[in-house]
């Protein structure tokens, strides 16, 4: 009842807009503070004596070890600690706060500033602080570090690593640890495991991990489903952005659909019921997850990152996806050093088994994902000149194929525009879009204009970050002794901009083209977007591990109108993605976007003013 501990930051400003992409991946720190609540209490950081020990004649001088110094410091506060601990088992202390001058009784503790996301108190003067990974974004991050600070010694030490759900920290679970009442033990989550360790020393490796494999829970499904049904309606009642629930009579709907509960026989039935009844709210982003079910063993088939064609009774590589060996997520099995399989070669055998067109090529790659497999390839189907190479098939080719599609589009834009236009693909408005924008936009700032492709954008944040960089105005030019003159802002493309959209552009992928049009950056090309802009975040989990969302942030315009939800963002120039043209290697939407940008560039060519003559002062 004497001290209040808290964290605060002086550099967190840019990330306060949690919904905005401009807050993404900005490192910041927090410091730790203590407020002395009463005027009559001493400072917990009062100067410690540094006087030399007085020695009697003949005694040898000694310097206390660090360990001894710690012990001495702890001894000094032993009586106070004991008194505080006795209070735990007795009546709670009376807390008195003197507000007059309290700002002068707030002190910074001698703890390094870090990105702390959790704070807990143990014994008197002992704090536990959870430090997040250096860079944290949606759905990413490494495990956090749990630190222990002792006010008596004024030192901090790491207690455990990898603390957090699934090895991560996120905005909805910022304190995955709990200190016992007596301060002797601390429980924390480490990925999918839980650990309980002593607070006296660091927990190495998997020390303290609890064996939960034998835990069993007796479940009454019908009673559980009834509780879940009631909980779902409470979640919609308490979190839905419109307290009027779009005019739905909540009590009547709850009673009407409740009549189906007695006939529910499986969690999937319950999910079906939820989808049906929550559809009454007529809103996007309303998702249902069924919850726990029987575990199904997975057999992960392997893929080589290739398209095949049948030629003379054998499989032939029609296209090989090269990916990027520099990126672990884009590892391409057939283009690794020493493998070097080429387009046009034949796949003749897998793990010693001959392969012909009469067989399914994928059958021989069952359970090979991530494992070494020997394949035989050659320039002809008869096996002449064939060789054996070792490959490591991947579980999914999605990233490889998307990367190839992006690169094909970039090269096509470059070809169609004669090198004048950049191409930037934005798969979402979260991690992928942020990374792609930074990688592709800033690498092409010497271009005269840019095509922004947000087709199939799966959303995330509100992409103000992208819009801010697209709309940056020219401020000045700079001349240097060598090289071409450049301008400020350096990271900008000043010429025409066109954004491509389609019916699979959703959520943040709805908002971004709306902002693009709002800021008059250029035309939108393609098809009307999905139309879901009542966002979601943070809901209680249902007791069976399932979940429902209650869309809780509704989008409306500065003119005071609800917008985008249920009707999307229409293009300025509507273009169908003609399947026949696409099959022939064309992309009508991309080609139209390039044509519009080139027309604008011809109308308003990008010209750099003539550099003025250098000044002469003598």
């Amino acid at each position: 009842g004497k001290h209040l501990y808290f964290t605060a930051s002086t550099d967190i400003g840019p990330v306060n807009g949690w919904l905005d992409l401009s807050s993404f991946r900005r490192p910041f720190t927090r410091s730790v503070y203590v407020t002395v609540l009463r005027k009559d209490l001493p400072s917990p950081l009062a100067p410690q004596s540094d006087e030399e020990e007085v020695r009697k004649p003949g005694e040898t001088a000694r310097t206390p070890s660090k360990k001894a110094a710690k012990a001495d410091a702890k001894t000094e506060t032993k009586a106070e600690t004991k008194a505080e601990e006795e209070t735990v088992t007795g009546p709670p202390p009376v807390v008195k706060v003197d507000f007059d001058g309290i700002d002068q009784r707030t002190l910074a503790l001698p703890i390094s500033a870090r990105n702390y996301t959790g704070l807990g108190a143990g014994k008197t003067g002992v704090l536990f602080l959870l430090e997040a990974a250096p860079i944290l974004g949606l759905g990413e991050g490494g495990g956090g570090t749990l630190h222990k600070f002792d006010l008596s010694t004024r030192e901090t030490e790491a207690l455990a690593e990898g603390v957090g759900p699934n090895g991560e920290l996120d905005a909805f679970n910022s304190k995955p640890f709990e200190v016992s009442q007596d301060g002797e033990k601390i429980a924390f989550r480490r990925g999918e495991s839980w650990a309980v360790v002593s607070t006296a020393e660091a927990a190495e490796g998997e020390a303290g991990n609890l064996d939960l494999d034998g835990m069993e829970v007796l479940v009454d499904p019908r009673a559980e489903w009834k509780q879940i049904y009631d909980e779902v309606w409470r979640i919609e009642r308490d979190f839905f952005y419109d307290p009027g629930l779009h005019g739905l009579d909540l009590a009547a709907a709850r009673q009407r659909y409740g009549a189906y509960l007695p006939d529910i026989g499986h969690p999937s039935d319950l999910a079906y019921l939820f989808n049906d009844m929550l559809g009454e709210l007529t809103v996007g982003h309303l998702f249902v997850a069924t919850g726990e079910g029987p575990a199904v063993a997975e057999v992960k088939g392997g893929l080589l990152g290739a398209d095949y064609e049948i030629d003379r009774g054998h499989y032939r590589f029609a296209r090989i996806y090269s990916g990027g060996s520099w990126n672990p997520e884009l590892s391409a099995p057939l283009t690794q050093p020493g493998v070097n399989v080429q387009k046009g070669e034949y796949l003749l055998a897998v793990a010693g088994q001959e392969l012909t067109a009469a067989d399914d090529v994928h059958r021989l790659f069952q359970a090979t994902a991530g494992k070494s497999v020997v394949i035989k390839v050659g320039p002809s189907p008869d096996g002449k000149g064939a060789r054996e190479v070792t490959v490591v098939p991947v579980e999914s080719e999605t990233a490889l194929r998307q990367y190839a599609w992006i690169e094909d589009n970039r090269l096509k834009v470059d070809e169609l525009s004669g090198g004048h236009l950049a191409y930037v693909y934005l798969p979402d408005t979260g991690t992928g879009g942020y990374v792609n924008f930074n990688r592709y936009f800033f690498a092409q700032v010497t271009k005269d204009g840019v095509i922004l492709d947000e087709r199939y954008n799966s959303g995330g944040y509100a992409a103000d970050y992208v819009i801010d960089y697209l709309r940056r105005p020219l401020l000045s030019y700079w001349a240097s002794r060598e090289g071409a003159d450049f301008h400020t802002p350096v990271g900008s493309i000043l010429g025409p901009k066109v954004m491509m959209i389609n019916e699979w552009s959703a959520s943040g992928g709805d908002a971004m083209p709306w902002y693009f049009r709002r800021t008059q950056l250029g035309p939108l090309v393609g098809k009307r977007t999905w139309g879901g802009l009542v966002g979601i975040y943070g809901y209680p989990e249902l007791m069976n591990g399932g979940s429902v969302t209650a869309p809780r942030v509704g989008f409306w315009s500065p003119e005071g109108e609800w917008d985008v939800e249920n009707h999307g963002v229409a293009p300025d120039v509507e273009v169908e993605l003609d399947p026949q043209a696409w099959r022939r290697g064309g992309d009508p939407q991309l080609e139209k976007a390039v044509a519009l940008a080139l027309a604008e560039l011809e109308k308003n060519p990008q010209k750099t003013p003539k550099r003025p003559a250098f000044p002469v002062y003598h």
Side-chain angles (χ1 to χ4, degrees):
K2 299 177 181 179
H3 302 133
L4 174 69
Y5 298 101
F6 63 95
T7 61
S9 175
T10 57
D11 60 358
I12 199 174
V15 305
N16 273 332
W18 59 272
L19 184 60
D20 297 336
L21 192 61
S22 56
S23 69
F24 203 69
R25 284 191 170 186
R26 289 181 179 268
F28 61 90
T29 59
R30 293 183 175 94
S31 296
V32 189
Y33 300 86
V34 59
T35 296
V36 181
L37 297 179
R38 300 201 316 264
K39 291 181 179 180
D40 60 336
L41 294 175
S43 168
L45 297 177
Q48 295 176 324
S49 174
D50 60 356
E51 293 182 358
E52 292 281 345
E53 180 184 358
V54 178
R55 290 179 283 119
K56 297 178 180 179
E59 284 185 339
T60 303
R62 64 180 181 88
T63 302
S65 66
K66 190 174 183 180
K67 185 176 181 180
K70 280 187 178 182
D72 291 343
K74 289 180 178 178
T75 301
E76 292 176 7
T77 57
K78 185 175 180 181
E80 183 181 354
T81 302
K82 184 178 179 182
E84 294 290 339
E85 289 174 351
E86 288 174 351
T87 306
V88 171
T89 58
V94 176
V95 179
K96 178 186 176 184
V97 180
D98 294 326
F99 290 101
D100 184 32
I102 196 170
D103 58 323
Q104 297 304 310
R105 300 195 306 277
T106 296
L107 309 170
L109 292 173
I111 301 174
S112 298
R114 299 184 178 97
N115 183 12
Y116 298 116
T117 59
L119 170 66
K123 295 182 179 181
T124 300
V126 177
L127 299 179
F128 298 92
L129 296 146
L130 185 58
E131 176 193 3
I135 297 177
L136 208 61
L138 187 65
E140 63 171 270
T145 301
L146 187 61
H147 298 275
K148 174 186 174 182
F149 170 75
D150 193 330
L151 188 58
S152 64
T153 61
R154 302 184 185 180
E155 292 185 359
T156 306
E157 59 182 332
L159 193 66
E161 301 286 347
V163 177
N166 299 315
E168 301 176 1
L169 298 173
D170 59 55
F172 309 125
N173 194 343
S174 59
K175 189 190 171 188
F177 71 91
E178 199 67 49
V179 186
S180 64
Q181 189 177 29
D182 61 6
E184 295 286 348
K185 301 281 187 178
I186 187 166
F188 58 87
R189 186 171 178 178
R190 186 190 277 140
E192 293 300 318
S193 302
W194 282 90
V196 176
V197 300
S198 168
T199 58
E201 56 187 5
E204 302 290 342
E206 297 183 358
N209 275 12
L210 303 177
D211 183 4
L212 305 179
D213 290 342
M215 287 188 67
E216 293 184 346
V217 178
L218 183 63
V219 174
D220 179 349
R222 295 195 181 282
E224 188 175 87
W225 296 336
K226 174 63 169 63
Q227 192 281 333
I228 291 173
Y229 181 83
D230 294 338
E231 182 72 7
V232 165
W233 282 116
R234 282 192 291 266
I235 289 173
E236 301 304 325
R237 179 196 69 193
D238 296 341
F239 290 96
F240 196 74
Y241 83 108
D242 172 17
L245 298 170
H246 285 180
L248 177 68
D249 185 333
L250 179 67
R254 182 173 176 175
Q255 182 177 2
R256 181 167 68 254
Y257 286 96
Y260 295 97
L261 268 178
D263 296 320
I264 295 295
H266 190 274
S268 61
D269 296 340
L270 191 67
Y272 185 94
L273 177 63
F274 289 164
N275 277 306
D276 221 25
M277 72 187 194
L278 297 179
E280 298 263 8
L281 289 168
T282 317
V283 70
H285 284 102
L286 214 164
F287 306 129
V288 175
T290 57
E292 298 174 357
V296 179
E298 294 184 344
V299 178
K300 296 182 178 179
L303 298 167
L304 296 182
D307 292 336
Y308 302 97
E309 60 186 5
I310 303 298
D311 182 72
R312 288 178 281 177
H314 288 80
Y315 285 96
R316 186 182 186 184
F317 293 110
R319 177 168 184 176
I320 294 172
Y321 295 93
S322 58
S325 58
W326 42 269
N327 188 336
E329 296 178 0
L330 293 174
S331 178
L334 298 177
T335 62
Q336 296 299 305
V339 179
N340 302 324
V341 175
Q342 303 297 314
K343 174 184 175 181
E345 290 192 297
Y346 294 82
L347 177 59
L348 302 172
V350 178
Q353 298 185 56
E354 296 296 320
L355 176 66
T356 69
D359 204 347
D360 180 356
V361 65
H362 300 295
R363 181 183 68 82
L364 300 184
F365 287 99
Q366 289 184 23
T368 63
K371 301 176 182 178
S372 295
V373 179
V374 177
I375 62 173
K376 184 166 75 172
V377 297
S380 61
D382 59 10
K384 290 182 180 179
R387 67 192 188 280
E388 289 189 336
V389 294
T390 301
V391 297
V392 180
V394 295
E395 181 181 346
S396 171
E397 294 176 338
T398 301
L400 288 173
R401 292 178 179 273
Q402 185 187 69
Y403 179 72
W405 181 73
I406 293 169
E407 281 299 289
D408 287 349
N409 288 344
R410 185 183 67 81
L411 293 172
K412 186 168 187 176
V413 168
D414 192 69
E415 178 187 358
L416 291 175
S417 70
H420 288 284
L421 298 178
Y423 171 83
V424 179
Y425 180 65
L426 301 166
D428 54 47
T429 56
T431 304
Y434 184 86
V435 169
N436 263 31
F437 184 77
N438 290 336
R439 177 178 294 160
Y440 284 90
F441 182 81
F442 295 109
Q444 301 179 81
V445 292
T446 57
K447 302 288 188 179
D448 296 324
V450 58
I451 305 297
L452 285 303
D453 188 353
E454 74 117 43
R455 294 175 296 178
Y456 311 101
N457 186 294
S458 59
Y461 289 79
D464 65 321
Y465 174 81
V466 174
I467 301 301
D468 288 347
Y469 273 98
L470 294 177
R471 66 191 296 201
R472 299 174 86 188
L474 173 66
L475 298 176
S476 70
Y477 287 95
W478 299 91
S480 61
R481 185 65 178 266
E482 293 86 19
D485 292 356
F486 59 95
H487 55 69
T488 288
V490 176
S492 61
I493 296 177
L494 303 175
K497 301 167 182 68
V498 179
M499 179 171 283
M500 301 163 62
I501 60 177
N502 70 1
E503 58 272 39
W504 298 99
S505 304
S507 190
D510 284 302
M512 184 160 58
W514 195 93
Y515 297 146
F516 191 86
R517 172 178 286 152
R518 178 83 185 184
T519 52
Q520 300 180 355
L521 285 169
L524 300 173
V525 175
K527 298 290 290 183
R528 183 186 295 270
T529 63
W530 175 60
L533 216 48
V534 182
I536 53 177
Y537 67 92
Y539 304 97
E541 188 177 272
L542 301 176
M543 68 182 301
N544 69 342
S547 64
V548 297
T549 60
R552 60 189 301 182
V553 280
F555 178 92
W556 57 284
S557 73
E559 288 72 37
E561 298 175 343
W562 297 108
D563 207 343
V564 182
E565 179 69 29
N566 280 329
H567 61 82
V569 178
D572 297 301
V573 181
E574 185 168 356
V575 180
E576 292 279 357
L577 185 60
D578 180 11
Q580 188 176 29
W582 176 84
R583 194 71 179 169
R584 293 195 302 263
D587 186 335
Q589 294 172 340
L590 182 68
E591 291 155 11
K592 185 63 176 180
V594 171
L596 290 173
L598 289 177
E600 179 62 25
L601 196 58
E602 183 177 358
K603 182 180 177 182
N604 296 297
Q606 291 296 295
K607 294 182 179 179
T608 301
K610 183 180 178 181
R611 181 202 289 174
F614 288 107
V616 177
Y617 297 119
H618 298 287

